[in-house]
Amino acid sequence: MIALIKGNLTFKSPNHIIIDVGGIGYQVFVPLSSYYSLPEVNNPVRLNIHTYLKEDAIQLYGFLTKEEKDIFLYLIGITGIGPRLAINILSGISTFDLVKAISEGNLVALNAIPGVGRKTAERLILELREKIGAIQDSGLKPQDSKYEDALSALVNLGYKRSHAEESLKQFTVKTQDSELISMGYELTVEEMIKEALKALHRK
């Protein structure tokens, strides 16, 4: 079973990406949260992988962070939620906001996710409210989401991911799981982008 892939990103689209590992191209489905933080094509990438076995196919689902993969596994463990819907859920809300909505029983926030109706939202709360506590205790914080949003904005503005990451390092540090946690946690996403742009323009 494939649990991690590290290779060269040869193709990316919102639907799927392809990673070249030793001349073999692996098709990987990723949520938008991971997609927007991917490097440019022809750059190295490392993803946590879930291998989904079907009767007629093997599908790979990739995530930049361990927490995102853990939440995905919780989601597909719920009756009626398959991998595609789980990816759709993670594409429609940040991991922090999803965990927060489930733990607080916020049906309105969950119903706002494309493809999630009231019954599915109720199942999410009923089946994951207690389990999700382990992810909260792991250290997932709002600033993780802020960093991802700021990085995605910079990439969408046309800056290379590597340059955008470097510009954000002035107030972030890397953890063991390659997550970036803001040291200046009071900064808003807009302020993070503003400071990063200043650093980029100084180069």
Side-chain angles (χ1 to χ4, degrees):
M1 178 131 351
I2 299 173
L4 184 145
I5 288 181
K6 182 178 181 181
N8 195 51
L9 182 64
T10 60
F11 172 84
K12 70 174 182 177
S13 74
N15 181 47
H16 72 275
I17 66 173
I18 297 176
I19 302 176
D20 184 319
V21 183
I24 299 175
Y26 291 90
Q27 181 186 53
V28 183
F29 299 98
V30 297
L32 290 178
S33 52
S34 287
Y35 169 76
Y36 287 130
S37 294
L38 289 171
E40 295 299 318
V41 170
N42 295 323
N43 280 285
V45 66
R46 177 183 181 275
L47 292 178
N48 297 286
I49 298 293
H50 170 69
T51 304
Y52 182 71
L53 302 177
K54 298 175 62 176
E55 291 183 0
D56 58 347
I58 298 176
Q59 296 177 335
L60 303 179
Y61 293 86
F63 312 91
L64 284 175
T65 68
K66 179 181 180 298
E67 285 75 18
E68 201 170 34
K69 178 182 176 181
D70 289 343
I71 293 174
F72 173 84
L73 294 176
Y74 280 136
L75 290 173
I76 63 175
I78 298 176
T79 301
I81 297 183
R84 289 304 180 94
L85 179 54
I87 286 289
N88 186 70
I89 291 173
L90 290 173
S91 294
I93 188 172
S94 71
T95 51
F96 174 81
D97 288 335
L98 177 60
V99 169
K100 186 173 184 288
I102 292 173
S103 63
E104 294 178 352
N106 190 338
L107 281 172
V108 175
L110 295 173
N111 276 331
I113 304 171
V116 176
R118 183 176 180 83
K119 289 185 178 180
T120 299
E122 289 174 344
R123 284 203 303 274
L124 287 171
I125 294 171
L126 179 64
E127 298 192 32
L128 295 186
R129 201 166 192 170
E130 293 184 5
K131 296 178 181 178
I132 219 75
I135 294 178
Q136 286 182 309
D137 294 339
S138 72
L140 188 64
K141 297 178 175 64
Q143 53 263 34
D144 299 331
S145 176
K146 286 183 182 180
Y147 176 87
E148 292 174 2
D149 290 342
L151 180 58
S152 295
L154 292 170
V155 172
N156 289 336
L157 286 172
Y159 294 99
K160 288 186 176 181
R161 185 173 186 273
S162 58
H163 293 167
E165 285 183 335
E166 186 65 30
S167 70
L168 288 170
K169 283 181 181 179
Q170 58 187 305
F171 42 80
T172 58
V173 293
K174 279 193 173 182
T175 66
Q176 187 174 359
D177 288 329
S178 296
E179 285 186 82
L180 289 155
I181 299 178
S182 173
M183 290 163 53
Y185 59 89
E186 295 296 336
L187 290 175
T188 65
V189 173
E190 291 75 17
E191 289 169 334
M192 292 175 73
I193 294 172
K194 182 178 179 180
E195 293 301 317
L197 287 172
K198 288 180 182 178
L200 286 165
H201 291 161
R202 284 195 295 266
K203 293 183 177 181

